[in-house]
Amino acid sequence: MGVTKQYLRFSPTGIFGVVAAKNCNAVYLQPNRFLAAGGTHVITVWDRRLQRKVKTMNCDSPAVILKPNHDATMLAVGHAGGGVGIYDLKDKSEEASPDPEVTFEGHTSSVMSLAWDDSGTVLASGGKDTRVILWDCVSETGIAKLKGHKGPVTQLRFWNESKYLLSSSIDATVHVWDTRTNECIHTIACIGQVWDVNIWRDTIIIAENHLKVVRLTEALPEVSLSSEVRDDWLNESVGTLLRHSHDRCSSLLVVEDRYLVVSGSKSSEIEIFILSTPEEALKKQKKRLKKNPSDEKGLVLRDLIRRAESVKASEGKVKSIDAFIDKDKSLKILCCLPSNQVEVITFNETSQQLSDSAEPVSGGDIFGFDGHRKLVRAICFSSDRTAILTASADCIRVWNRSALTCVLTIPHEYPIVSASFCPGDRHFIAGSTSGHLILGDISTGVITQVEESGSDNVWSIDILSNNMGFATCNGSFVQFYDFFMTEGKLQFELKRQLDVQDSILSVKVSQDMKFVATGLLDSTIKLFYFDTLKFHLAMYGHSLPVLSVDISSDSQLLVSCSSDKTVRVWGLDFGDCHATMKHSDGLVSCAFQERTHYIFSIAKDSLNVYDGDNHQRVQTLKAHVEGGATCMGVGGLYVATAGRDQTIRLYNRTQDILVIDDEREQEREEELEKDAVVENPSLPALKTAESERSADKLIEALDAHKEDSPSNPLFTAYGAKDKTEFILKILTGIKASELEQSVMLLPVEYVNRFIPVIGEVLSDKDNLKRVASLAEQRQKYLVDMIGFNLAGLKFLSNRREEKQEIETFREMVGERKRKRKKKEAALKRALLKI
């Protein structure tokens, strides 16, 4: 049997370049100079005053919803995979742990909404699976799974000191849940899909196409419904707030009981309504009745809410909003923009004229931080691998590889699709879809030369190995340029040109400068001699256009990738195909690692590593989501990729040994785990790989306990004196959030063993007995204290009710006296007229 070939593992190093991902919101943190935004597999905390990144937190699955608790010490993150992570925000420095403190797995699909209760210990999550789950963040366990909606749950709000929970859904209903009994006590039926709901005092504002305002009150016993399901709540329609925009309402915020802020799904307009205080509402009511005594006597919608001047974001669409009231009483609205930016718009009630027909006021502070506004289409490494250059249609950025921070930004207006560092790393050369070649000076941060090489796309640029020039493709031409110095400045000029008679998508010159390889639109690869530019041979095999080609450092192998989802390895001597390796998705780029035959290929959502000698897939790394990758750059031990999810991802080779057989076995296990995830309707949590491993530990521990051998090596490994302490250590090593599910996974035989073992553990521990005694005493004390407080509150409530009754009686008597005096005065006037 031969020796198994071993490889060194590549692992993700970091994610950068993303400020605010497309499918996640941005929120303010306390103090409000900080804000958090989702960046696909990371959450970034930004300092908007200093405009820099403060902290980065990792996610196993793309983040879709962020929700801090009331004092912003904890941040709940809902993921696209259905998990919920709780992060500690007390320490906002980069030295703090980037991983979640607690992880909950309960939803079978993406989480859409999160809500904290007033105490900050209970978290509610709603998902696309139509479920609402309550989580206890202290004991790290699920409390209950609430079922009732028939569509994805879009919003959750705790109400009335967290006694009730409101949930909205696209099934056109709003459910009111009693958190003490975990039952639905009332349902508000709506006309269309409900995408948001908010609470203002006893008024519920529901976001349909327009804003439906409902007052929810508890019905008197004689008015309650006489049915099997008792519903003691009444919802009274207060009115409807009409919006200027006609798109779907996506965000609805009530800011400190003063402002109502509304944004749509396809509009840049943010509408602001001012909420009246009780005193202001009464004044408006009196003023209205004074003008028109026959008008409605009670409070109407225009007494409670009035429209303010709308504001407008800088772009045509707003993904999410958040807001707070600053010290100067101005409203600061945080807008998450689709161009990888956030904007803060200031609204001041006193300085703006209130008008129903006012045009939206545009303008705000845009924070791009360290990120491209448009898609990154080109990426490359410097010769010493310390810098990474990325290019998009808005700017060129140079990043520090070790710190993952932007050190230089050069704005431009060219749609760049290819770029490379020039020899010496002080300049760069880039090509655009308009046929322009752009030369820039990195030391000064300016573009020094722009030349039009043709009218077609410059899809590829390759620096020659002698560092004297570079080769590009433009349409059907391969163009060769030379560098030269003029007045101390680097410039380039065209020297030779080769017409290939078909559109070229990529070009590569071999290291020995013998061959020029071109990947063509007609699905072929053509080789030419570099010195004479004569045709050498053609390679056939791809069924779709060849998007990328590369030649190994020893000029022996050529690798190509195509839209037909295949990577092919060719020999340069005879042009024969050595191997064909299939990818799961359409490929974007491929490249050799320097001085090796390792091949990297990037597809929609995965980065593959191949061995070009034995043609095996070595490793598959998770890459981009939301549309896939756009480009890849390889430099020494590092690989960088950019994607449509607005992230730039860096990978590096580690010293961890990777065995291919073990890697394939792990991939099979992951597939089986995905297929084995089954929802248990009675439990809030799902079966996960962690709970299965914990169940295996319990089974192993119970087997060791049954042997009754004091010299068991497991006892020594866990530092246990006896078998009872051993079981206790195993149980304490299991996460509280996984313990219930782990016990549920035990076979019946082991459950029968587990029950008496738990009895032994609890009975033999004196500390547990003492804790139980103290807990009983403390519980009795708390019950007595609560009873005393309740009695005192009832007494105060009765006195208040008596005072209110006396005041009501006085008002009624005074009203009667006023009516009698009016009648007497009217009678006197009539007698005088007679």
Side-chain angles (χ1 to χ4, degrees), residues 572-589:
L572 282 182
D573 45 4
F574 301 107
D576 56 325
C577 182
H578 290 185
T580 300
M581 297 164 287
K582 293 185 178 180
H583 224 292
S584 58
D585 293 297
L587 289 141
V588 175
S589 178

Side-chain angles (χ1 to χ4, degrees), residues 783-796:
V783 168
D784 294 340
M785 182 180 66
I786 291 171
F788 177 80
N789 290 341
L790 285 175
L793 289 172
K794 286 181 180 178
F795 175 74
L796 295 175

Side-chain angles (χ1 to χ4, degrees), residues 158-179:
F158 279 98
W159 179 45
N160 195 2
E161 299 178 352
S162 302
K163 295 178 184 177
Y164 306 105
L165 175 68
L166 270 68
S167 62
S168 64
S169 171
I170 63 173
D171 62 3
T173 61
V174 176
H175 285 345
V176 182
W177 307 86
D178 191 330
T179 57

Side-chain angles (χ1 to χ4, degrees), residues 300-363:
V300 296
L301 187 60
R302 63 176 177 268
D303 298 332
L304 300 172
I305 304 174
R306 75 178 190 273
R307 185 185 296 273
E309 206 170 63
S310 300
V311 295
K312 195 173 184 179
S314 301
E315 296 184 11
K317 185 179 178 181
V318 177
K319 297 187 299 181
S320 68
I321 58 172
D322 195 13
F324 77 98
I325 299 178
D326 208 354
K327 295 178 181 179
D328 58 356
K329 304 301 181 182
S330 60
L331 181 67
K332 300 287 187 179
I333 304 173
L334 174 65
C335 304
C336 192
L337 304 178
S339 62
N340 197 26
Q341 298 180 110
V342 291
E343 181 179 12
V344 177
I345 302 175
T346 302
F347 172 83
N348 199 320
E349 181 181 351
T350 58
S351 63
Q352 304 219 20
Q353 181 182 2
L354 304 180
S355 173
D356 290 343
S357 60
E359 289 294 326
V361 178
S362 301

Side-chain angles (χ1 to χ4, degrees), residues 5-23:
K5 187 174 181 179
Q6 294 179 338
Y7 302 89
L8 294 180
R9 183 183 300 275
F10 279 81
S11 65
T13 302
I15 298 176
F16 60 101
V18 58
V19 178
K22 293 180 180 178
N23 291 340

